[in-house]
Amino acid sequence: QQQRIALARALATSPSLLLLDEPLSALDSRVRVRLREEIKLLQRRLGVTTIMVTHDQEEALAMADRIVVMNHGVIDQVGTPEEVYAKPATAFVADFVGTMTFLDGVVSGPGMVRAAGIDLACTATGAAPAGAAVRIGFRPEEVQVRGVVADTPNSLPVHILELEYLGAFCRALLTVAGAEDLIVTADFSANAMNDLGLARGQDIRIALPARALRVF
């Protein structure tokens, strides 16, 4: 209620610009979600340009029309939530907004990167020459687990090290065969968990779709 009153006081003078500095940080998760929806609806109704500072990535993605990601005081990227999440301009943005697994690799040819001891097809190599050192990254929800066989493009044998139950999905920590020090984060839906009988300690194959790999 105090946050609502503070917001009402700030809007009482009909400002042309509203600055919110971490307005939801001290609230519990349910109230935070409810209040961020109220702020978004209120902002749209009043049409007040609003700048909101937050370290909560989910909050930024849910509320913003445009996001500015800053790294040590320098702007790394400006864009819509979809652009910032799906097409991060730098490795920092990719890692800061959402979860990302990174693999160090080398461009091995046109549209190919060698990482973790295998050649991966990658549509985002651009003009990087063969031999160039790169980092490739992918989101946990982009890891494919259904219908993956040995000859599936970009398939990897992995071991399920840990499973974290998060309700609608499980977040898995996977080790790659032959590169056990490399940890891959993957999200498996509740349906996939049940249909495939996935469990901790199991050896499975996953695939990394070429379109999902970002190159930095």
Side-chain angles (χ1 to χ4, degrees):
Q1 293 302 331
Q2 288 178 329
Q3 297 294 74
R4 289 187 175 96
I5 292 170
L7 185 61
R9 284 175 173 166
L11 292 169
T13 57
S14 301
S16 59
L17 179 68
L18 179 65
L19 175 61
L20 304 176
D21 187 5
E22 302 275 7
L24 310 179
S25 60
L27 306 176
D28 68 64
S29 58
R30 281 185 173 273
V31 175
R32 187 184 305 127
V33 171
R34 200 157 56 237
L35 190 53
R36 81 185 186 195
E37 291 172 352
E38 290 181 19
I39 291 174
K40 191 172 181 178
L41 291 172
L42 185 63
Q43 188 275 334
R44 286 181 175 174
R45 186 166 72 248
L46 298 178
V48 179
T49 298
T50 303
I51 298 175
M52 178 171 166
V53 181
T54 180
H55 284 83
D56 187 319
Q57 296 88 344
E58 181 181 309
E59 198 171 278
L61 292 171
M63 297 181 69
D65 296 307
R66 294 185 70 75
I67 294 176
V68 178
V69 183
M70 300 184 71
N71 180 11
H72 291 90
V74 177
I75 294 175
D76 267 19
Q77 186 171 359
V78 180
T80 65
E82 293 82 2
E83 289 168 344
V84 170
Y85 186 82
K87 299 176 181 178
T90 66
F92 173 82
V93 174
D95 194 39
F96 186 72
V97 181
T99 301
M100 181 78 75
T101 295
F102 291 101
L103 306 177
D104 292 320
V106 175
V107 176
S108 56
M112 298 294 295
V113 174
R114 186 164 185 79
I118 64 169
D119 287 313
L120 298 172
C122 178
T123 59
T125 53
V134 295
R135 296 185 79 195
I136 58 175
F138 52 90
R139 301 288 187 193
E141 69 271 16
E142 294 167 332
V143 175
Q144 181 182 342
V145 67
R146 290 183 184 272
V148 179
V149 294
D151 59 353
T152 300
N154 290 0
S155 68
L156 299 169
V158 298
H159 176 79
I160 301 178
L161 185 65
E162 290 292 344
L163 282 172
E164 183 182 8
Y165 178 72
L166 296 173
F169 66 94
C170 282
R171 176 150 292 176
L173 298 182
L174 314 171
T175 56
V176 179
E180 282 72 18
D181 58 335
L182 174 64
I183 302 296
V184 171
T185 303
D187 288 346
F188 300 143
S189 69
N191 285 337
M193 292 291 299
N194 293 329
D195 293 347
L196 303 177
L198 301 176
R200 184 165 62 88
Q202 190 175 1
D203 293 322
I204 61 173
R205 292 193 77 90
I206 61 169
L208 309 176
R211 56 175 173 71
L213 300 179
R214 294 123 173 122
V215 176
F216 304 100

